[in-house]
Amino acid sequence: MPFRHTLGLIILSLLLLNAEANADVMAAKFAYQHWQTDADSNFGEATDAKVTIPKEESTQFKVQLAIEHPFPLIPNFLLATSKYEQSGAVALAQTYRLGGQLYSVASSLNTSAEYSNSDLVMYYELSDNSLFELDLGLQLRFLSADFSAADVSKGLSSSGESKEWRPMGYVKLQSGLPLVGVQSYVQWAQGGGSKELEAAVGYRVVDSALADLSVFLGYKDSELELDNVDGIFAKHDWQAVFVGVELVF
């Protein structure tokens, strides 16, 4: 069977499954996550001429809003924004260039890397019941990265930036025990040089006809790489324990 026919059958099967599993009512889910972590972070204008920022814990966050509905064939939507930063002093073992500025060997640089992610996730609920839920979809990420270096003793400074759209696959498995309020999930997204794993357990502290409020404790593992994106090569990897809240109404 030709590949396009196979792909068409897969898409059709997902749509039919979604038509059976969609939410019964409209729902909005607001979530906030907070954590502290250090990262393995480096950047530069060549693979063999990058600076590595020393590890130092900094505060990070993520905010997201999901809209789920009962309309067949139309995906659910999730909007999210997150921000990661790392900064520190670096002693150069070789010459280094950023933003057209050349820094000499043995210079002491103040460096920083800042990554902002804006995500749009379009997903289908392939299974949706009180015990188990499976979401599958496409995550479109707009990555904006800013880098800076400064040699204060010589009055030199420079900066660079990278911006890129990244398509990513998105999968989320959720389970729960509604009678006792315990729930858990595992979420995975990957593509375009980004990879994220998130797993958490939670407890529903408010369960009412108007809104549900849950608290979560979880673990994140994130990898991000730039391969000559707007002239920048960079890598930013970290792991962290996070706390979060989710409001469903």
Side-chain angles (χ1 to χ4, degrees), residues 9-239:
L9 289 174
I10 292 174
I11 294 174
L12 179 60
S13 298
L14 293 178
L15 292 176
L16 291 174
L17 284 170
N18 171 72
E20 295 294 328
N22 246 359
D24 295 328
V25 296
M26 290 284 294
K29 299 180 179 180
F30 173 80
Y32 175 80
Q33 299 173 351
H34 183 94
W35 65 93
Q36 285 190 315
T37 187
D38 52 21
D40 291 313
S41 186
N42 59 63
F43 65 89
E45 295 183 348
T47 56
D48 58 350
K50 297 191 290 186
V51 292
T52 299
I53 305 176
K55 286 188 173 185
E56 183 175 342
E57 282 199 347
S58 60
T59 299
Q60 321 284 2
F61 70 89
K62 181 178 182 180
V63 179
Q64 66 182 40
L65 174 67
I67 303 295
E68 297 185 346
H69 58 79
F71 307 114
L73 308 185
I74 300 175
N76 300 294
F77 295 94
L78 183 151
L79 297 172
T81 181
S82 54
K83 189 174 182 179
Y84 317 126
E85 299 179 35
Q86 194 78 6
S87 61
V90 176
L92 294 182
Q94 63 183 46
T95 57
Y96 176 73
R97 182 185 297 274
L98 180 69
Q101 177 64 56
L102 183 67
Y103 299 94
S104 60
V105 177
S107 296
S108 180
L109 302 185
N110 294 327
T111 62
S112 69
E114 180 179 303
Y115 299 89
S116 296
N117 295 323
S118 299
D119 296 312
L120 168 62
V121 183
M122 296 169 287
Y123 65 95
Y124 291 105
E125 294 181 330
L126 303 187
S127 175
D128 183 14
N129 57 63
S130 60
L131 296 178
F132 178 78
E133 181 178 323
L134 171 62
D135 298 340
L136 182 65
L138 173 67
Q139 179 169 330
L140 295 177
R141 164 166 292 177
F142 181 69
L143 169 66
S144 177
D146 294 287
F147 309 94
S148 66
D151 186 342
V152 178
S153 65
K154 297 179 181 179
L156 302 175
S157 64
S158 60
S159 61
E161 65 176 11
S162 298
K163 299 181 185 297
E164 184 180 46
W165 282 98
R166 296 186 164 187
M168 305 169 66
Y170 172 88
V171 180
K172 185 175 183 179
L173 298 172
Q174 303 179 72
S175 63
L177 298 174
L179 296 180
V180 294
V182 176
Q183 52 195 304
S184 64
Y185 71 84
V186 177
Q187 180 177 303
W188 175 267
Q190 183 172 356
S194 292
K195 181 169 65 176
E196 292 183 346
L197 170 66
E198 184 176 309
V201 294
Y203 181 73
R204 184 169 296 144
V205 295
V206 175
D207 186 356
S208 71
L210 296 178
D212 298 336
L213 177 64
S214 300
V215 294
F216 288 91
L217 177 65
Y219 172 80
K220 288 177 173 286
D221 188 337
S222 175
E223 298 180 15
L224 183 156
E225 189 166 1
L226 301 177
D227 187 7
N228 198 19
V229 178
D230 294 330
I232 298 292
F233 297 83
K235 193 170 185 180
H236 192 80
D237 301 341
W238 54 268
Q239 299 80 38

